[in-house]
Amino acid sequence: MSKEIRRIGVLTGGGDCPGLNAAIRAIVKTAHNDYDLEVIGFSDGYEGLIENRYRQIDIDDASGILARGGTILGTSNRADPFHFPVLQGEEYIYLDRSSQAVRNFESLGLDALIAIGGDGTMAASARMAKEGLPIVGVPKTIDNDLFGTEVTFGFDSACVTATDAVDKIHTTAQSHHRVMIVEVMGRYAGWLALCAGLAGGGDIVLMPEFPYDIDAICDAVRTRNARGKTFSIVVVGEGSRPVGGEMTVARTIATSPDAKRLGGVSHSVAAQVEGLTNIECRVTILGHLLRGGSPSAFDRLLATRYGVEAVHMVVRGQTGIMVGLQNQQMVAVPLEDVAGRIRTVTPNHPLVKAAQSLGICLGVSSSVPLEEHYKDPVAS
Ligand code: F6P
């Protein structure tokens, strides 16, 4: 028989995305309506737990937020409890604040914590679970790269935004006979580039998993021109890199567990394609636009299902796990299986096969099987 649950905490960590408020709402409503639990919301992810910044959230606080982007709790992607940045004078030093987080959790009389986040939050949660915190993770990220679940909420909304952008870019591409390059987020996984490319009718899709060969891209553009298609649309994942080259780092944020912030690879693709083909190229980088706005209906439903199930799992005493979606069913995935892993686009994925069948160029020469072009974006 599991321990009686009376009071639970909730936090949102990592980059924001559409659907966070829908998940918070589902957690609070299920906690109140089904189990009469109190809910404490921590501000700014694990930062709030470490610094004891929180507030009680009741049904009224969780009402009217379903369609709202962002997170009413605030978030942070610099709050690793085991390597927590603290400003000392003009410099940051890094302290292990995990035991402070445990003490705050205990002094608030909490019975469980629901941590909504991406890979960084799940990795921190796996370690905090080992320190004794009963945690249930809820997977979000526009990158859709969390291990243990087929889909994260936030991804569908970002895909809708990116597809809309690719649709709109088509008109200028056609009118001016240009190569138009649309860069999307997706640090170590090309899901957003692949899906927006497919849904938006892109001609060339570049992903972090398949280092690109500029000649293959130019050949695809020339082949289209020869067919009378005097424009091309390229959708580029921000983590894409050339064969033998590196990802394009826009800036580094020392206090962040993953310090690199990517962006700008499409400028070098544009310069090279223009130089080699003599066709004018233009770049549009969608960036944080993809993380904003109201969640799609799909994401509202998914975030709601995850939130409801997370509370049921807490009450059943299932902790140390993340809620996942597998074969349309809600499942519990051990946090330690999720931590430190990324779900990348694989060469044999049905969407990759579909892209190939449609004649979309994946930035590599088709004379060798795609499997041979795959390179793990994290390891390499
Ligand atoms: O992981 C989500 C994500 O949006 C990535 O796609 C992107 O590389 C990163 O976060 C950007 O983070 P920041 O908000 O710190 O610029």
Side-chain angles (χ1 to χ4, degrees), residues 77 141-143 185-187 238 261 288 291:
N77 51 14
T141 163
I142 66 162
D143 295 0
M185 278 188 170
R187 186 185 280 256
E238 64 177 355
R261 289 297 178 275
H288 292 85
R291 297 223 308 245

Side-chain angles (χ1 to χ4, degrees), residues 14-16 77-78 118-119 140-143 145 184-188 192 238 251 253 256 260-263 287-288 291:
D16 71 340
N77 51 14
R78 307 174 189 201
D119 53 342
K140 69 86 217 178
T141 163
I142 66 162
D143 295 0
D145 59 356
V184 298
M185 278 188 170
R187 186 185 280 256
Y188 298 122
L192 205 44
E238 64 177 355
R251 57 182 292 187
I253 299 182
S256 180
K260 287 183 205 153
R261 289 297 178 275
L262 305 177
H288 292 85
R291 297 223 308 245

Side-chain angles (χ1 to χ4, degrees), residues 59-145:
I59 290 263
D60 285 342
D61 299 313
S63 179
I65 61 171
L66 174 63
R68 206 190 298 169
T71 159
I72 59 164
L73 294 176
T75 186
S76 166
N77 51 14
R78 307 174 189 201
D80 178 355
F82 298 88
H83 192 70
F84 191 71
V86 178
L87 196 58
Q88 207 164 71
E90 297 201 338
E91 294 216 331
Y92 278 100
I93 56 162
Y94 294 87
L95 302 175
D96 181 349
R97 304 294 307 278
S98 55
S99 45
Q100 182 64 53
V102 175
R103 277 197 298 279
N104 291 344
F105 177 90
E106 285 168 352
S107 64
L108 280 167
L110 291 172
D111 300 304
L113 175 69
I114 297 180
I116 309 170
D119 53 342
T121 305
M122 293 311 142
S125 298
R127 289 186 72 187
M128 289 305 296
K130 286 210 177 94
E131 299 295 307
L133 286 199
I135 301 184
V136 171
V138 171
K140 69 86 217 178
T141 163
I142 66 162
D143 295 0
N144 201 27
D145 59 356

Side-chain angles (χ1 to χ4, degrees), residues 28-76:
V28 175
K29 290 200 171 193
T30 306
H32 282 277
N33 294 337
D34 284 4
Y35 302 108
D36 203 18
L37 308 181
E38 266 184 82
V39 183
I40 296 292
F42 290 100
S43 305
D44 306 331
Y46 273 109
E47 218 173 278
L49 180 58
I50 292 162
E51 296 172 349
N52 223 14
R53 291 190 286 113
Y54 64 88
R55 66 180 193 269
Q56 189 153 339
I57 321 181
D58 57 28
I59 290 263
D60 285 342
D61 299 313
S63 179
I65 61 171
L66 174 63
R68 206 190 298 169
T71 159
I72 59 164
L73 294 176
T75 186
S76 166

Side-chain angles (χ1 to χ4, degrees), residues 91 96 164 172 180 213 348 358:
E91 294 216 331
D96 181 349
D164 183 46
T172 304
M180 297 295 282
D213 168 1
N348 56 0
L358 290 176

